[in-house]
Amino acid sequence: MGARKVQKPENLLVSHTSSGQPMVKLTDFGDAVQLNSAHYIHPLLGSPEFASPELVVGEPAALTSDLWSLGVVTYVILSGASPFLDESVEETCLNICRLDFSFPHHYFQGVTQGAREFICLLLRADPARRPPAGLCLQEPWVQGQAGLADAQGQGRVEGGCLDTSRLVLFIDRRKHQTDAKPIGGVQSFLQSRLQPQA
């Protein structure tokens, strides 16, 4: 059992505790549901760029569906760009189903291989191949053992800071989008595009 909610950067808040350690908090659980069975199909809403392939094609949600969203959010935070966003909802969904993403150098300059591997670990088409949340927390990149590359490709950059200018533009673009409107017709479009050619 678990809560089902597609996360996006706007739903993450960071607060600083008295110990000096930042604490990440999730917000906006308006359309979250408790997964009590293996057959819950979450409706595809608004912008699908954070939705996992199983949600995009209308299959049942899994506990690891949210881990896909975490992979997309991690990509966005590190690069300021979306891995799957395209000109239309349909093309975005097609990119998700085809795992059509890359790590362009101009967006990922200074981001280590460990961070990229963490993203790839989560962005797996088969929800059963995504690790459970507990294992994700043990990943070296999450533990702070690898993150932003310095001049030798090791450790973190001075101050451990990312250039967030693209991220600010990304979040500004999303401010005016609604994620509550159901999306129709995507599944039939995907079926026609994903079926093997004869």
Side-chain angles (χ1 to χ4, degrees):
M1 293 200 302
R4 171 67 223 127
K5 168 70 178 162
V6 174
Q7 290 301 331
K8 49 195 177 279
E10 303 92 299
N11 293 349
L12 299 176
L13 298 176
V14 179
S15 66
H16 294 281
T17 62
S18 57
S19 68
Q21 290 287 75
M23 178 179 284
V24 178
K25 298 179 180 184
L26 299 177
T27 64
D28 186 11
F29 286 87
D31 67 337
V33 296
Q34 186 77 22
L35 289 183
N36 292 320
S37 78
H39 300 291
Y40 173 74
I41 298 177
H42 193 72
L44 192 59
L45 303 171
S47 174
E49 64 189 290
F50 298 95
S52 62
E54 60 271 18
L55 298 185
V56 167
V57 298
E59 293 176 355
L63 291 177
T64 57
S65 297
D66 282 334
L67 292 170
W68 172 280
S69 299
L70 175 63
V72 176
V73 168
T74 303
Y75 185 107
V76 168
I77 289 171
L78 292 175
S79 69
S82 173
F84 301 109
L85 184 65
D86 211 320
E87 297 297 318
S88 69
V89 167
E90 292 83 6
E91 291 298 325
T92 297
C93 290
L94 191 58
N95 291 341
I96 291 168
C97 293
R98 289 181 173 167
L99 293 179
D100 189 4
F101 73 98
S102 62
F103 298 101
H105 179 72
H106 59 285
Y107 288 141
F108 281 86
Q109 187 173 6
V111 177
T112 65
Q113 187 62 30
R116 296 170 202 217
E117 288 170 2
F118 178 72
I119 292 168
C120 290
L121 187 67
L122 300 176
L123 297 184
R124 293 179 173 173
D126 181 358
R129 292 195 59 230
R130 295 177 211 138
L135 284 180
C136 290
L137 291 172
Q138 296 173 16
E139 282 295 307
W141 184 76
V142 174
Q143 292 292 320
Q145 298 166 9
L148 303 174
D150 60 18
Q152 293 79 36
Q154 303 292 324
R156 299 187 180 273
V157 293
E158 276 183 42
C161 295
L162 281 171
D163 175 6
T164 59
S165 58
R166 285 188 306 271
L167 181 59
V168 170
L169 293 173
F170 176 88
I171 291 172
D172 189 52
R173 173 186 64 84
R174 289 212 27 94
K175 279 183 186 175
H176 307 291
Q177 292 181 350
T178 176
D179 290 326
K181 184 179 81 172
I183 298 172
V186 172
Q187 278 85 18
S188 59
F189 171 82
L190 292 173
Q191 285 176 345
S192 69
R193 297 294 296 270
L194 293 172
Q195 289 181 353
Q197 301 295 324

